[in-house]
Amino acid sequence: MRPLHYDLELHLAFLLFQQDSLHVPGLGVFSVRRDGAEIQLPSGLILPPARRLSFAPEASGQSSVLLDHLCSIEGFTRAEAADAIHHCVAEWNR
């Protein structure tokens, strides 16, 4: 197996700034919810827009976004990208 030039975590962070949902095979789905700015009149607080990240382990969903990204950035074939993801997820689960 060829090693990744960048950690898989960096790839996930990069993609989550562009995508609202990201499926990681063998791990689950990361979802981004965008909240607008909010003014709380009673307390006088002004809250800026925010992005909230949630995770659903082994949630249903299939997406090739991560595979395609690794193929284009790392120069992997789809099989090599799938193997790299599987190896990283196995390390995280251990």
Side-chain angles (χ1 to χ4, degrees):
M1 182 191 94
R2 274 187 359 192
L4 292 168
H5 291 106
Y6 303 101
D7 290 336
L8 189 60
E9 295 92 337
L10 291 176
H11 289 289
L12 295 178
F14 176 81
L15 287 171
L16 283 169
F17 273 103
Q18 299 176 355
Q19 307 286 323
D20 286 337
S21 180
L22 183 62
H23 178 255
V24 180
L27 188 66
V29 176
F30 291 94
S31 299
V32 176
R33 186 183 81 215
R34 299 170 195 273
D35 293 335
E38 182 181 336
I39 299 174
Q40 296 178 351
L41 293 176
S43 62
L45 287 176
I46 300 174
L47 302 174
R51 293 168 38 100
R52 294 193 179 16
L53 182 66
S54 63
F55 175 72
E58 291 302 326
S60 63
Q62 295 293 1
S63 173
S64 63
V65 172
L66 182 57
L67 280 174
D68 294 340
H69 174 77
L70 288 179
C71 290
S72 67
I73 299 297
E74 297 281 347
F76 285 173
T77 65
R78 287 183 73 79
E80 289 173 329
D83 188 42
I85 293 169
H86 174 74
H87 178 73
C88 288
V89 169
E91 284 290 317
W92 293 341
N93 286 330
R94 188 164 31 120

